[in-house]
Amino acid sequence: MTIHQNLIAGEWTGTTGAENINPSDTNEVVGLYASASVQDVTDAIAAAKAAFPAWSRSGILERHTILKKAGEEILARKEELGALLAREEGKTLPEAIGETIRAAQIFEFFAGEALRLSGEVLPSVRPNIGVEITREPLGVIGIITPWNFPIAIPAWKIAPALCYGNTIVFKPADLVPGCSWAIVDILHRAGLPKGVMNLVMGKGSVVGQAMLDSPVLSGITFTGSVGTGKRVALSSVEHGRKYQLEMGGKNPMVVLDDADLTVAVEAAANSAFFSTGQRCTASSRLIVTEGIHDKFVAALTEKLKTLNVDNALKSGTHIGPVVDAKQLKTDTDYIEIGRQEGAKLAFGGELVSRDTPGFYLQPTLFTEATNQMRISREEIFGPVASVIRVRDYDEALAVANDTPFGLSSGIATTSLKHATHFKRNAEAGMVMVNLPTAGVDFHVPFGGRKGSSFGPREQGKYAAEFFTTVKTAYTLA
């Protein structure tokens, strides 16, 4: 099997690697991908540093053209890349193609932003002096991405980094190297100069740690677990570099008595169980007022009965497999914890067998949960949700905010008063009204509060806050 190599200083390199296994069919090897060494990471960082002076001063039309070419190729290959994504991560094919289209849109957006780079010219408070305020690229950026969005998250970090003139050392999650390799290959062929983009695949304990240990990186943008995020922060403080963290979530979906039941059930099912619940924006806490509680649980249970768990590539599949055996064990362990804590297992919770061997788990719904249970406090990152019964809107808001996380928060209601109040008072970076908590646009800021995020927002024009540094220059006329 041909090995997909790392890209270092413009050259493809690597002779040994690891197999990329399809979670829908564990007999299938999606591909063989190189494993970088500590020396490879050192070389990649050195290459990015050497390429930075020229790339940081490159013309905006050059950056625009490269990013536009990348976006166009990703879009043209959406079915192929979507199938690759579904095979390596387990998203259903429609979800995977949708994510691929989003990646293309992100590159096209930042291609446009490259032509809109701007600053300010202001008068000084002192006579005959002019003031210019500009944004300049930060430097060499370390990018570390997770497995759950293997093409969209790399896109929304790589595209702005390049748009603003930074060079990159990129480590994708070792479970899903395929889509990341494809993006890097596309950018390489689109004309990126040598050393501007460097790909180092492999284990976090080797590749990621070597990046954290480097004093050369000017910034690290990371999406992943809370524990690893803390390590990124500590190492960055030690080396005095900028860092950006997107981590966990325990997102609430509030359902009020006046909610449209159909809208509420569709939003909750999408939020909690689609993409196999493997989204940091997923709703795993369904906070329901007592007047609609029983109707909502009954309707949601009926909805879950219609969802087909099967191979991600198979037509008619609503929920694909869990990403790997480790995550499946985490999910089943938490299901047992929920039972032991006294929550009622209202639906699912069982492993299922299909035509191909894979990590298949029924969507799982607990009722009679409290907000103090572990299944309500800790991120499970699987198709497991808990219904928490509350008296009224005030208690629902209090329970929604009673979490160490603060990424996304949703409410289902027909009350303008409650919707307006919730948008203002929900302690989250993103708020959804009568919509799933998962599902965001590519041109607006993404990020959370509390333990979910640290640093500037991602996506849209707000990405400039992380990937650039501000300079103020004074000139005597």
Side-chain angles (χ1 to χ4, degrees):
M1 185 177 291
T2 302
I3 189 168
H4 295 77
Q5 297 175 301
N6 291 305
L7 183 68
I8 300 173
E11 302 294 332
W12 295 105
T13 180
T15 57
T16 60
E19 293 180 338
N20 186 6
I21 303 298
N22 182 349
S24 291
D25 181 357
T26 55
N27 290 328
E28 183 195 7
V29 177
V30 178
L32 186 63
Y33 292 84
S35 297
S37 65
V38 172
Q39 186 59 52
D40 288 332
V41 177
T42 301
D43 292 344
I45 293 171
K49 181 180 180 181
F52 177 74
W55 180 249
S56 65
R57 291 169 175 78
S58 60
I60 59 174
L61 188 57
E62 179 183 4
R63 299 182 206 171
H64 165 83
T65 301
I66 291 171
L67 292 171
K68 188 170 186 294
K69 281 183 179 179
E72 288 173 345
E73 181 171 341
I74 292 170
L75 187 61
R77 295 171 59 190
K78 62 181 183 293
E79 285 86 6
E80 172 201 346
L81 294 174
L84 172 61
L85 196 164
R87 288 167 64 211
E88 72 171 353
E89 194 271 345
K91 275 190 178 72
T92 65
L93 186 57
E95 289 175 322
I97 292 173
E99 182 181 335
T100 303
I101 293 171
R102 179 179 174 185
Q105 292 168 333
I106 290 166
F107 274 100
E108 291 185 356
F109 176 86
F110 283 104
E113 286 297 281
L115 300 179
R116 289 189 286 267
L117 297 178
S118 62
E120 296 178 82
V121 177
L122 302 173
S124 171
V125 295
R126 295 167 288 170
N128 301 318
I129 293 176
V131 181
E132 298 170 78
I133 303 170
T134 55
R135 287 191 175 274
E136 296 187 352
L138 188 61
V140 179
I141 304 294
I143 294 177
I144 303 175
T145 58
W147 51 259
N148 62 324
F149 281 85
I151 196 166
I153 293 180
W156 82 47
K157 293 178 186 292
I158 290 169
L162 295 175
C163 167
Y164 297 115
N166 301 281
T167 56
I168 294 170
V169 178
F170 170 38
K171 183 224 169 300
D174 62 314
L175 276 178
V176 290
C179 289
S180 294
W181 188 94
I183 284 183
V184 172
D185 175 58
I186 288 168
L187 285 165
H188 180 60
R189 289 185 288 99
L192 273 183
K194 291 183 177 182
V196 172
M197 163 65 74
N198 300 273
L199 173 67
V200 281
M201 299 177 288
K203 293 289 185 182
S205 58
V206 177
V207 179
Q209 189 60 50
M211 292 171 69
L212 299 190
D213 291 341
S214 173
V216 178
L217 296 180
S218 302
I220 291 184
T221 175
F222 167 83
T223 300
S225 70
V226 173
T228 304
K230 289 179 179 179
R231 291 172 57 200
V232 172
L234 289 171
S235 70
S236 297
V237 169
E238 179 183 353
H239 293 299
R241 64 171 166 247
K242 201 171 183 180
Y243 61 100
Q244 178 184 55
L245 309 176
E246 289 295 342
M247 299 175 289
K250 197 66 183 174
N251 309 294
M253 166 64 75
V254 170
V255 180
L256 298 184
D257 287 351
D258 61 19
D260 181 309
L261 185 61
T262 300
V263 169
V265 168
E266 289 297 320
N270 183 305
S271 297
F273 303 111
F274 285 17
S275 294
T276 324
Q278 295 173 155
R279 301 184 282 196
C280 56
T281 50
S283 289
S284 52
R285 293 186 300 142
L286 307 176
I287 302 166
V288 187
T289 49
E290 55 190 4
I292 199 174
H293 178 277
D294 293 350
K295 291 180 181 179
F296 173 81
V297 169
L300 180 56
T301 301
E302 289 303 309
K303 173 70 176 179
L304 295 182
K305 291 177 182 177
T306 70
L307 299 181
N308 185 31
V309 179
D310 209 330
N311 190 305
L313 294 176
K314 186 178 289 188
S315 177
T317 296
H318 299 106
I319 299 174
V322 173
V323 71
D324 70 351
K326 181 180 178 182
Q327 183 61 49
L328 183 61
K329 185 177 187 308
T330 296
D331 295 345
T332 55
D333 285 350
Y334 270 107
I335 292 169
E336 182 57 31
I337 288 168
R339 287 191 178 107
Q340 293 175 358
E341 289 181 315
K344 177 184 176 183
L345 184 60
F347 184 85
E350 300 296 328
L351 301 180
V352 292
S353 297
R354 293 295 181 255
D355 293 339
T356 51
F359 307 112
Y360 298 111
L361 175 66
Q362 285 181 313
T364 304
L365 183 68
F366 282 104
T367 58
E368 306 307 324
T370 72
N371 203 48
Q372 301 311 311
M373 292 178 176
R374 286 184 62 190
I375 57 171
S376 302
R377 307 299 295 178
E378 300 170 11
E379 186 176 39
I380 300 172
F381 220 65
V384 183
S386 303
V387 179
I388 301 171
R389 188 196 301 259
V390 294
R391 292 185 305 275
D392 52 21
Y393 169 74
D394 290 336
E395 186 181 3
L397 177 63
V399 171
N401 288 337
D402 180 15
T403 172
F405 298 105
L407 183 56
S408 186
S409 190
I411 187 169
T413 180
T414 56
S415 165
L416 178 61
K417 172 186 174 182
H418 286 140
T420 302
H421 188 272
F422 189 81
K423 285 189 288 185
R424 175 63 184 86
N425 291 279
E427 295 173 358
M430 298 176 290
V431 180
M432 311 293 184
V433 178
N434 294 321
L435 290 166
T437 56
V440 296
D441 292 346
F442 62 88
H443 69 303
V444 295
F446 177 97
R449 297 163 61 169
K450 299 191 278 188
S452 289
S453 306
F454 182 88
R457 291 290 190 260
E458 300 197 86
Q459 299 199 117
K461 66 181 181 180
Y462 287 81
E465 295 295 329
F466 178 75
F467 291 103
T468 64
T469 184
V470 174
K471 177 181 283 183
T472 306
Y474 296 85
T475 304
L476 177 65

